[in-house]
Structure formats: C-alpha cells, structure tokens
Amino acid sequence: MAGKPSAKSKAWAIFDRICTDAAPGGEHTNPWRQDADGTVTYGPDFDVLEKLLGVPLYLGAPTTSGVPALAFDVWVSYELRRAGFDHDATWPRGKHPRIMPAAIVNLLAGLPKKERARLEARLTKSTPIKGVTSASANILGKNYLKQVDVVMSDWDTGPELLISTKRMDSSFGKNAANRVEESYGDAKNLRLRHPLAALGFVYGLRSTILTEETEKAEWLIDLLQKLGREDDAYHAVALIMMEYGQAPPSENEQAPGEADDPLLAAGIVPEDEDEDETLEDIPASAVDDALAALPRVTIHHDAVPAPLQPAHFMALMVNRVIDATPVNRHKEARRRFREPIQS
C-alpha cells in the first residue's frame, strides 16, 4: 500500500505545475531585454519565484522538510531553462528523476518506442539507480563531496555551473554567520577542483531582518557582497529579500542534520544519502486548490545592492557558461542573448 505523500512530494507537484504553466508547451520566455539605448539586461521571472515561495507556506512545511530551500532550487533551474540551456541539462529537472545525466537522456531518445517505455519505467521509479538517477547532485570538490543545489554538468565537460542556495527566515543573529562561513568553505572546495565552472550562491532572507535586526542586516549584506568579490570564492552572489503574507512555521532555522552532524555541516555527504521522491499521484484538483490559495510572497528589491540583485546574478552566471565554452555549444542560449526582446 502506498504511503501518504510527503510534504516534499506535494511541493513537487505544485512546483512542477507552476513552472509548466509559465512555459506552455515547454516554450520558455526569453529573459533578455534590450532597452531603447541598446543595453541588454536579464529579466528574471519574479512572478514564478513568488508563487514557488508561497508553496512551503501553503503546505506549512518546516525547514527540516527541505521544501522551503527547494523553492529556490526549482526557480534557478527554471531560469536557466529560460536562458536557453537544455531542459534536461539543468538540475533539478522539471520532472522526475530530478537528476539524470544527458547520456541517459540521449539513450532514451534513440531507443525504439517499446524499449524506451520499459527503460523509462525503470528510471522513473522512486528509488534512484546509483550513478544513473538521483534526487540530489553530489559533486566532488578538492577535498570532499558536496551536495550542490543547482547543477549543469555532462561527462565530456565536467561541471559547467554550480549554484548553492540557502535561506533564513528567523534567528538571524544566531545563524547568519554560520551560513556565510559554510559558504566560504563550500566555494573554495568546489572552485579548486572545477575552476572553469560558473560558481554562484543564492541567499534568501526574510525581510523582517531589516526592522528586527537592522545592524545584522547591514553586516550580512556587506558580507555577501564581499563573498562575490573573492578571487577563489563565488563568481556571483544573489540576495533575495522576501516578505511573507503569513508567518512561516516556527522552528529552528537549521537544515536537516546540520546541528547534529558536523560532517554534513561541512558538506560531506554519505554515499547512500539520497532520498526517494514519493511518486503517488497528487490529484490535479488538489494542485488547483493549492494554486488558488497560495499565500502572498513579495520580493523586495530596494534593500538589495546592485551587485546582489538576482538579475545581475543570472546574467553573470549565464554569460560565464557561454564564455567558457566553444561557440558550437549552448546554441539556444547564445541565440536568445543575441535576439533579446525589445523593451
């Protein structure tokens, strides 16, 4: 008998619908915009982000469920698809399994229909196939494996893009320094083994920090800017300031296991640490009800300095991948940049 769907399974059903509705028929809007003076800028889809961030509030999903942080991962991967990168190459993918190498995708495309159906049935089972499918991406850095939230990688290129995401809704004074210190270590570990990969960091912060702990907010914003200026750290850092229409579940702002396991806090992921994605069908009507009742989330831009703006971050990440690869790779991403939408 199938178990009750977890909060994460419910979230995936809603996340997928939000992203699918934003890209009818799999056709994503072009994020590049050209102003009257010829300036080309990146325009993130903040409407989709605000909806995604409303999902954990609707579900009452605590931080330990992994759902609040997952909303950022889904959005960044969605934005990479908008930028023109291959739908299956940006992880997490827009469907289960969330991590699947391009070689396997190409194999499926080349198989006869009956054989493809059999293999797809095996690949889409909830239990991942070690080394083939996964619910999360673990990347070997200079010294240890690190779970990376958003990835673009292939066997013939190695990692091309690695983006870590973190968020904090409360306990700012207690956890802000820890999150940034961990990020410095993660960046150095990954950068030293993958120097050509575009390395980024997205930090979500509840806007209440601006009024509840003003000094801490100024310190953290300054530190995030410096994190993106280090030669051996991230190429770009984004800060997303969020205001919620309702309070999130009250709990400690630590990710699962961080407080109890110092190895996990350091990014050392056990080989068998891969969670299943429960695949019980979530009724379409339940997803419809959720979308109609999503709590309001507003992204505030005025308190975020220009170097930390999400638009600036996405432009840097996309262009860094394009600049580090030959002209015959990522053709659609290059075309979209060359043919921006006229504002």
Side-chain angles (χ1 to χ4, degrees):
M1 181 181 295
K4 183 180 179 181
S6 65
K8 185 170 287 188
S9 295
K10 295 176 184 177
W12 270 121
I14 306 171
F15 287 155
D16 288 346
R17 174 72 74 80
I18 291 171
C19 294
T20 298
D21 289 350
E27 292 296 323
H28 291 76
T29 56
N30 188 347
W32 296 106
R33 301 288 185 269
Q34 186 172 46
D35 298 333
D37 63 359
T39 303
V40 177
T41 56
Y42 190 100
D45 191 337
F46 289 115
D47 181 59
V48 164
L49 175 58
E50 290 176 347
K51 291 177 181 177
L52 293 172
L53 290 172
V55 173
L57 295 177
Y58 171 79
L59 295 174
T63 301
T64 50
S65 70
V67 174
L70 188 59
F72 282 122
D73 306 346
V74 172
W75 180 69
V76 174
S77 187
Y78 163 79
E79 284 294 334
L80 292 172
R81 293 193 285 275
R82 286 186 70 221
F85 294 113
D86 187 87
H87 293 197
D88 291 306
T90 61
W91 304 339
R93 303 192 314 155
K95 58 184 177 182
H96 178 81
R98 301 301 165 175
I99 311 294
M100 188 161 71
I104 305 300
V105 175
N106 294 336
L107 171 63
L108 284 171
L111 289 175
K113 185 175 182 180
K114 184 179 291 187
E115 292 182 33
R116 181 169 66 249
R118 286 200 298 265
L119 183 54
E120 282 181 335
R122 178 65 188 93
L123 291 171
T124 55
K125 287 183 179 295
S126 60
T127 303
I129 304 174
K130 188 174 177 60
V132 179
T133 62
S134 179
S136 57
N138 298 324
I139 304 296
L140 181 63
K142 180 179 184 293
N143 295 309
Y144 53 83
L145 275 174
K146 176 68 179 75
Q147 181 175 312
V148 181
D149 302 299
V150 182
V151 177
M152 282 178 50
S153 183
D154 201 357
W155 71 270
D156 61 345
T157 63
E160 294 189 81
L161 177 141
L162 303 169
I163 296 176
S164 296
T165 65
K166 290 188 184 295
R167 64 180 289 163
M168 190 163 57
D169 292 341
S170 62
S171 303
F172 306 113
K174 180 178 179 181
N175 291 316
N178 292 341
R179 300 295 84 82
V180 174
E181 288 173 5
E182 292 165 9
S183 300
Y184 266 106
D186 293 345
K188 189 174 183 66
N189 177 52
L190 293 170
R191 184 78 172 267
L192 288 175
R193 184 172 289 274
H194 309 288
L196 290 180
L199 192 61
F201 180 58
V202 176
Y203 198 93
L205 197 59
R206 191 179 178 193
S207 60
T208 51
I209 191 176
L210 297 173
T211 54
E212 293 178 0
E213 300 193 42
T214 304
E215 186 173 338
K216 178 65 69 174
E218 293 176 353
W219 174 84
L220 184 57
I221 290 172
D222 177 66
L223 199 56
L224 287 171
Q225 291 186 83
K226 292 174 179 175
L227 187 61
R229 293 198 298 259
E230 298 289 339
D231 292 337
D232 60 349
Y234 295 101
H235 295 114
V237 176
L239 172 60
I240 298 175
M241 194 73 72
M242 310 165 290
E243 179 183 343
Y244 302 148
Q246 69 180 53
S250 178
E251 67 171 8
N252 193 297
E253 283 297 308
Q254 289 170 319
E258 277 188 348
D260 302 321
D261 191 337
L263 295 181
L264 284 179
I268 303 174
V269 183
E271 289 187 7
D272 59 352
E273 184 83 6
D274 200 4
E275 59 185 307
D276 299 347
E277 181 179 337
T278 308
L279 296 178
E280 289 87 351
D281 289 334
I282 309 296
S285 59
V287 178
D288 293 336
D289 292 343
L291 293 177
L294 287 180
R296 177 67 176 170
V297 177
T298 303
I299 305 300
H300 287 281
H301 303 284
D302 52 352
V304 178
L308 297 179
Q309 288 285 346
H312 178 71
F313 172 85
M314 289 304 307
L316 285 177
M317 289 290 99
V318 172
N319 285 322
R320 190 161 192 92
V321 173
I322 290 175
D323 291 344
T325 53
V327 71
N328 60 336
R329 300 189 73 101
H330 304 307
K331 291 183 178 180
E332 177 61 15
R334 296 173 188 274
R335 183 194 69 78
R336 289 190 168 221
F337 179 76
R338 289 195 309 268
E339 301 174 10
I341 304 299
Q342 302 296 318
S343 299

